[in-house]
Amino acid sequence: MSLPVRISTVRALIKEIGVSARSDKPLVVGGARALAPTLRAKLGVGGSDDPRGAAVYVHVWADDGSDEEALKRARRARVPIVAVVPEEIDDVPYVLATDVIRLRPGEGFPIPAIARTIAARLGEDGAPLAARVPVLREAVAEELITSFARKNALVATAVFIPGVDLPVLLRNELRLVLRLHQAYGRSADPRERLPEVGATVGIAFALRTVARELLDLVPVAGWAVKGAVAYAGTRAVGEAALRRLQAGASRGGP
């Protein structure tokens, strides 16, 4: 059986992700002078509070009249903004409601929530940033896995001709695995990624077999079966790659 994707496609994917890995856009934290340094330390970042050229700008609410101007500056710089504000603050200008994190009195910075919001805001662009900011890795990995699983579920349900969707599904799964490796600081060298590419191709063929068998059992709801298999299969591919990466990181190896 011929491969469902061309070698040139795999090379192009690896090259694209390798180029994006050279991005040095930082995570910038600004806002309240007394609190922003604390959040920088917890996120493991340094630098200034200038949002220009940032991958994402995290603003800690100062409530001293400077917030709107700081957020406006980030908006002008066309930088994604995440705001961390006291829960009693209703109006946060220039920031999407989904990108506002509210602080409860007496509690510290909710780092997991901040990381999840950054990951959701950046999507795939979160991978090269996570390579440099390890505290983001888990959230970025989960966002990538969920996002690609949903994409593949939609592809599988939309394509009715058997086999036609496999190249698209496999490209997405390869892209997911390569992005996960990028988030964990792994090299995009094709020779190093070959085992992961081979494993992903093997899983794709196995899932195709499962889907065909299930379609024979439940022919009427075939679109739902295909979508469910594509979603679950893509999550399985991503989670397996993530476990290997986390195990390697705990050993201090590749």
Side-chain angles (χ1 to χ4, degrees):
M1 184 181 294
S2 61
L3 289 175
V5 293
R6 297 179 179 179
I7 297 300
S8 59
T9 299
V10 177
R11 288 175 178 166
L13 275 175
I14 294 174
K15 182 178 180 181
E16 177 193 346
I17 291 172
V19 169
S20 71
R22 295 197 285 271
S23 170
D24 58 357
K25 291 183 176 181
L27 189 166
V28 173
V29 178
R33 292 185 179 182
L35 297 176
T38 300
L39 182 54
R40 289 192 194 105
K42 288 184 176 295
L43 292 173
V45 300
S48 71
D49 60 359
D50 187 348
R52 291 176 295 181
V56 62
Y57 172 67
V58 180
H59 182 81
V60 183
W61 195 259
D63 203 22
D64 60 1
S66 65
D67 297 295
E68 184 170 356
E69 182 57 35
L71 293 170
K72 184 177 181 180
R73 185 165 61 249
R75 177 69 176 271
R76 285 177 175 172
R78 297 185 178 183
V79 171
I81 307 170
V82 172
V84 182
V85 308
E87 63 179 0
E88 67 268 16
I89 301 297
D90 294 324
D91 183 29
V92 183
Y94 305 109
V95 184
L96 297 174
T98 52
D99 297 336
V100 175
I101 299 165
R102 301 193 179 278
L103 294 175
R104 295 179 179 178
E107 296 185 1
F109 288 112
I111 301 302
I114 293 172
R116 287 193 298 269
T117 303
I118 292 173
R121 186 71 176 82
L122 295 183
E124 280 195 60
D125 291 338
L129 181 62
R132 303 189 304 278
V133 185
V135 73
L136 299 180
R137 287 176 180 173
E138 185 175 340
V140 167
E142 177 56 31
E143 176 65 25
L144 288 169
I145 291 170
T146 300
S147 174
F148 277 98
R150 287 173 176 166
K151 286 179 184 177
N152 273 0
L154 289 173
V155 170
T157 56
V159 178
F160 296 99
I161 302 175
V164 172
D165 56 349
L166 185 59
V168 180
L169 298 177
L170 180 53
R171 280 199 299 272
N172 283 339
E173 288 170 358
L174 288 171
R175 191 178 190 91
L176 166 60
V177 170
L178 292 171
R179 284 296 192 189
L180 288 171
H181 276 74
Q182 181 182 48
Y184 276 76
R186 300 297 185 263
S187 168
D189 187 325
R191 292 168 296 183
E192 294 185 21
R193 300 286 70 84
L194 189 59
E196 290 292 336
V197 170
T200 304
V201 171
I203 292 173
F205 277 115
L207 290 172
R208 183 182 182 185
T209 300
V210 171
R212 281 179 171 174
E213 292 179 354
L214 289 175
L215 284 173
D216 290 338
L217 294 173
V218 195
V220 176
W223 62 271
V225 170
K226 289 178 62 183
V229 170
Y231 181 89
T234 304
R235 281 206 70 94
V237 167
E239 288 170 357
L242 180 58
R243 284 194 295 271
R244 289 191 292 271
L245 287 165
Q246 291 174 335
S250 67
R251 295 193 304 267

